[in-house]
Structures are given as C-alpha cells and as structure tokens.
Amino acid sequence: NLSEKLQRVFKNLRGEGKLTAENMEVALREIRVALLEADVHFRVVKQLIESVKQKAMGVEVLTALSPSQQVIKIVREEMVKILGTHQSKLRMANEPPTIVLVVGLQGSGKTTSTGKLARWLSKNDHSPLMVSVDIYRPAARQQLSVIGRDIRLPVYEGAAEETTPVELARAARREAMQTGRDVVLVDTAGRLHIDDQLMEELRLLKEALGPTEILFVADAMTGQDAVKSADEFHKQLGITGVILTKMDGDARGGGALSIRFVTGQPLKFVGIGEKFDALEPFHPDRVVSRILG
Amino acid sequence: LQGRKEIDADLLDELEYALITADVGVRTATEILETIRQRVDRKLVADAAEVKSLIRQHLLEVLQATERPPAEVGEPPEVVLVVGVNGSGKTTTIGKLASRYRAGNRSVLLCAADTFRAAAIEQLEIWGQRTGVEVIRQQPGSDPSAVLFDALQAAKARRIDYVIVDTAGRLHTKSNLMAELEKMRRTAGRVIPGSPHEVLLVLDATTGQNGLEQARKFTESSGVTGIVLAKLDGTAKGGIVVAIARELNLPIRYIGVGEKVDDLLPFDAEKFIESLFA
Ligand SMILES: Nc1nc2c(ncn2[C@@H]2O[C@H](COP(=O)(O)OP(=O)(O)OP(=O)(O)O)[C@@H](O)[C@H]2O)c(=O)[nH]1
Ligand SMILES: Nc1nc2c(ncn2[C@@H]2O[C@H](COP(=O)(O)OP(=O)(O)OP(=O)(O)O)[C@@H](O)[C@H]2O)c(=O)[nH]1
Ligand SMILES: [Mg+2]
Ligand SMILES: [Mg+2]
C-alpha cells in the first residue's frame, strides 16, 4: 500500500535533513500512481501533487513522524482541503414544501437514494412525499411505489392525465401542500449529460419547481468520466450537493474528489448498501483514507 | 493528437493523458508507453503517426487475443446467465438480447431470477412484452435458484432455443451474494448438463479501475465467459476492458449504446480503439 511504498522511498532519509526535490520526486510518483489507481481524475491528481510538493518543500523532517508519515499527512491534508467538511443536511425552503431533485446518470442509485433520503428525513422530524417522474424506464414508477410501501412513506402516484415530469412534480407539490408534507423528493430518470433533450427536461423541471436542493447521485466506482458528467450537470443545472453510492463495495472512490473539485459542491451523503437505512452522512477523513487505500 | 509530427515529451504526455482518462489504468498505460519509449530510443520509430499506430496495434492485439466464438451448444436450450454489479445494465441488456435472438428466428424464454430488488420482476416482464418473449417468474423474495430451476425445466420441456437469466445486481465484495451465484450455476448444470453455456458480465462503461476486480471476482464465482460493455453511448471510454482482456482473457461480446431495444451491437475492436483516442 501507499504508506509502505513511501517508507521504502524514504528509508535512506531517516531523521536527517529536509524533504528535498529529489527524494520528493520519487515519493510524488508513488502518490500519483496511487491516486490514479483510485480513480481520481488525471487533472485533479496533477493539481494535488503540485500543492503537496509546494507544502512539502523545505519541511524539516520532524523526529515525531517518519518522513513517509509526514508526506502522507500532507497528502491527506490537501485532500481534506478539497473535500471540505460540509455538514450533511438538506437546505429547506422558506415556505414548505421544500423540493429536492434527485438527478444523475443511468443506474447510479437515484431511486434507491430517494427512498433512503425519505427515511432519513422522516427520522429527522420531517414529513417527506416522494414522486417519480421517470416516465421512460420500464416499471420505474412502480419501483418507487414498492419502496414507499417498504419504508411506509407516501409516494405520489399521479392521476391518469398527469403524464409529463413537470405535471407529475407539480401535482406532487400540490398534494404535499394539501396533506401537510414538508419535503417533496423528486426521483428523475437516469440520463446522459450529453443528451440535450433530457438535460432540457431537467432545466424545465427546475424552473417549474424551484428546488432548494439538486442532488447529483454518483456511483463510487465511476472512473475518469466522473469529472465530465458532474461538470456538465453542474454547468447546465447547478447541482447543490452529491450523494456517492455503492460505497459498501471496494471501489476506492476517487471520483468523489474529482466531482467535488470540478463542481465545488458538497458531498452530502454516502450510500452503503441496498437497504433504506444504508445512508451515512459524509465523513471527509473516511473518504480520504479509502481513496489512499 | 492530430497535428503533432515529431516524437517529443509532449506527444508522450498527450498519449498518456488519452490512455489514462479512457480508464485504461496507469499501470497499463505506463507499460505501453515504456515500450514505445524504448523503440523511440533505438530509433525504431520515425514519427508521431507511427507512435500512434504502434499503440493502436498493441491495444488491438490485446483485445483480439481474447476473441473466440462462443461454445458450441449441442442441443437446446442454450442457457445465458447475466451477472454484474448493481445498476450496470443487466436487465436492459437482456431485453436487447431477447430481441436479437428472436430476430434470428429462435425461441426465447426469460427467467426473472432477481427476486430481491423492488419491481425487478415487473421491469423484466415489460421487456418480455416488448419483445414477445415469455418470462418465467415467481413471487418477489423467492429463491432465485428455484425460479431458475422452473425456467430450465420449462425450456427443456418446450425445446426452447435460448434461456436468458436475469440476476440481481450484487457487489463482488459480498461473499454470500457471490455464493448465491455459484449455487445458481450448480443448479443450472444439474437441470441442463453443461449449462450455463454463457455467463455474461455486464460492465458499466463509466466504471474505473474497480472493473478489473469485479471481473476477477465474478469470474471466480460464476465462471464469466464474456463481457457486455454497457452505456458506451456516454462519454466514458470503457478502457478498463483492456486490463481485463490482458489478465483474464475475457472476450467482449457486445456493447450497449442506448436504452432502446436495438441499442446493442457486436463488439468491434478497431472501432473501440479508435474511440479511445477520439
Ligand atoms: N450495494 C449498493 N447498491 C446500491 C446502492 N444504491 C443503489 N444500489 C443498487 O443499485 C442499483 C441501481 O439503483 P437504482 O436506484 O435503481 O438506480 P437509478 O439511478 O434510479 O437507476 P435509473 O433510474 O435507471 O437511472 C439497484 O440494484 C440498487 O439496489 C448502495 O449504496 N449500495
Ligand atoms: N445510455 C444507456 N443506458 C443504459 C444502457 N444499458 C442500460 N442502461 C440504463 O441503465 C439503467 C440501469 O439498467 P438496468 O438494466 O436496470 O441495470 P441492472 O444491472 O439490471 O440493475 P440492477 O438489477 O438494479 O442491478 C437503466 O436506466 C437503463 O435504461 C446503455 O447501453 N446505454
Ligand atoms: Mg431510477
Ligand atoms: Mg436488473
């Protein structure tokens, strides 16, 4: 692993002198490989290495930490700087109901995360109402209805004449107002950031509903593409937060760093399983440890 | 990469950027570029165009080494088991495959062995309706191996040509779920000796380096025989299949290029490599 590799790099350096350009060069190469293997984007790695180099130059080798521990400490600090320490909460609207849009690429975990968010909200003194505006995927709306029954939280099913995403979402908001539900969670269809028509659909949805949260749901195993898709969703919609799913696997999750880097938006929640209580608030130090392996 | 003529550090940097951002992986990219660098040092390469074509050729050889026709199946049914991590595109791929097999005038039966996820059975049933193919199913929560058993018995009795089995998405790190797949494979072999004849791992093209570990673990527990690379209509390049080809020698059977029934194409290595550098 990385700390073992760095220990080897610095074993000739124990307790004497500074971290110099030469010995840092080898260490930085190891760190670069580790981050790329963890799926951090090429350009984000470049910036990170640069800032680590800056910080490390001329640092006295303290006797308390070994040089490799010291370098890792600097790498960790720079990564935590990027990830931020945002609190995992949702921004509420001034007037209920609060609207939350759940968006992202196909299969990333939006529908499941919508159920998890509903449960989390209900455990935190809110009364959520879910609605699916996925009119494309076979049995998508059914999927959310089954989830609603499982977790005993309401799903707006939609009247027969409500056939478009905007109609369904608006009707759900009316339903929330009439029944005193204070948050509407809108599960949207998976889509590609390069699909103009479907990205336009999301823009229209945003315009019609005025959501206070647009959550981008991203798969923890996403590779270099994480930057492209997150950047595009953010440019076109303005996302307000990220949910990283499937962190119960062994993907290192470097995409999280890339997404945060390119959108500047906070990582709010982490999905750690298929059950509806499998949602954790975001812990930056845990995500960093995992990326570093 | 277009206008560059001489071989310089910038060219190699650009090629490294292209390979890594295509998810080929830093180790694989480094090995490829190291071989190129050695040939350049020994003056065996004339210009940038030749460097690019060398890399393309190398990648092509890696992918073509895995190509082999699917196993010959003596008598019907041929059993295709579809596996992969959550959300990769399995159920949709099965709908597309059903349509493809039917177009070849073959009889097809689908098996709804994802008895776990909400509305998974209904999702497959809609694909069955769309393609005019029957779906064998049981209640949600039933044992996937039991549904598989039913489907294979039915296929045998009716002399169906193909049975395609949908399984629940599962992370390869969950040993109980991987054991469930092993049990399904054994069940299949008992009802139809020699089956499953094809085990397709559906891999999401946006997957990074974890794709290699997925392929390893799924091969261990379910004997993967081929890959379907789904969602290649996005901007992700799916370069992880190069590392998978090298290490596990798995052929890519199809690519998924959209959400509609016809959005499945046979894998074309040359086109794929072309797009890695696009
Ligand atoms: N292990 C694990 N599986 C998850 C997690 N989140 C979602 N899933 C699974 O991932 C698969 C896809 O989840 P969905 O919620 O259907 O994804 P989606 O984004 O709504 O998909 P589309 O609507 O088709 O774009 C399902 O099998 C879920 O059970 C998670 O945190 N961990
Ligand atoms: N753009 C695109 N989307 C795809 C492709 N293949 C599947 N999808 C979409 O990806 C999402 C997930 O597809 P599913 O077929 O439900 O995936 P799955 O592997 O069966 O998911 P689980 O059963 O939950 O593990 C759906 O929204 C599909 O429409 C593809 O080739 N291109
Ligand atoms: Mg969904
Ligand atoms: Mg499925």
Side-chain angles (χ1 to χ4, degrees), chain A residues 104-113 116 134 137 140 143 147 187-191 217 244-249 270-274 278, chain B residues 85-88 90 114 116-117 123 168-171 174 259:
Chain A
L105 298 177
Q106 290 90 346
S108 61
K110 299 174 291 301
T111 305
T112 308
S113 299
K116 291 177 183 181
D134 183 348
R137 169 174 155 151
Q143 184 185 359
I147 289 173
D187 179 23
T188 69
R191 69 202 63 217
V217 177
L244 195 65
T245 62
K246 308 175 202 172
M247 283 285 268
D248 44 318
V270 170
I272 52 163
E274 295 191 71
Chain B
V85 300
N86 308 72
S88 64
K90 300 175 290 300
D114 177 355
F116 170 74
R117 207 210 66 213
Q123 183 186 4
R170 69 203 65 217
L171 295 180
K174 313 219 161 159
E259 303 186 68

Side-chain angles (χ1 to χ4, degrees), chain A residues 37 39, chain B residues 19 22-32 58-63 66 201 203 207-216 219 227 229 237-252 267 272-273 276:
Chain A
E37 291 195 318
D39 292 325
Chain B
L19 289 171
D23 287 318
V24 165
V26 58
R27 287 193 198 285
T28 306
T30 306
E31 286 171 26
I32 295 176
H58 174 91
L59 292 170
L60 194 60
E61 284 166 18
V62 170
L63 293 178
T66 69
L201 173 66
L203 193 60
T207 307
Q209 299 308 299
N210 195 247
L212 179 56
E213 185 61 6
Q214 289 176 27
R216 286 181 189 131
T219 299
I227 292 178
L229 189 58
K237 305 285 171 109
I240 193 62
V241 296
V242 174
I244 295 175
R246 267 176 155 201
E247 184 175 314
L248 300 170
N249 198 26
L250 287 175
I252 301 156
F267 181 66
F272 178 77
I273 289 165
L276 282 186

Side-chain angles (χ1 to χ4, degrees), chain B residues 4 18 64 112 152 176 224 251:
Chain B
R4 218 166 267 291
Q64 286 176 337
L152 295 182
N176 57 328
V224 175

Side-chain angles (χ1 to χ4, degrees), chain A residues 194-212:
Chain A
I194 52 173
D195 185 327
D196 294 333
Q197 213 175 357
L198 286 183
M199 291 306 284
E200 173 68 1
E201 174 186 275
L202 278 184
R203 278 196 299 279
L204 293 175
L205 209 50
K206 175 183 180 181
E207 216 172 290
L209 300 170
T212 50

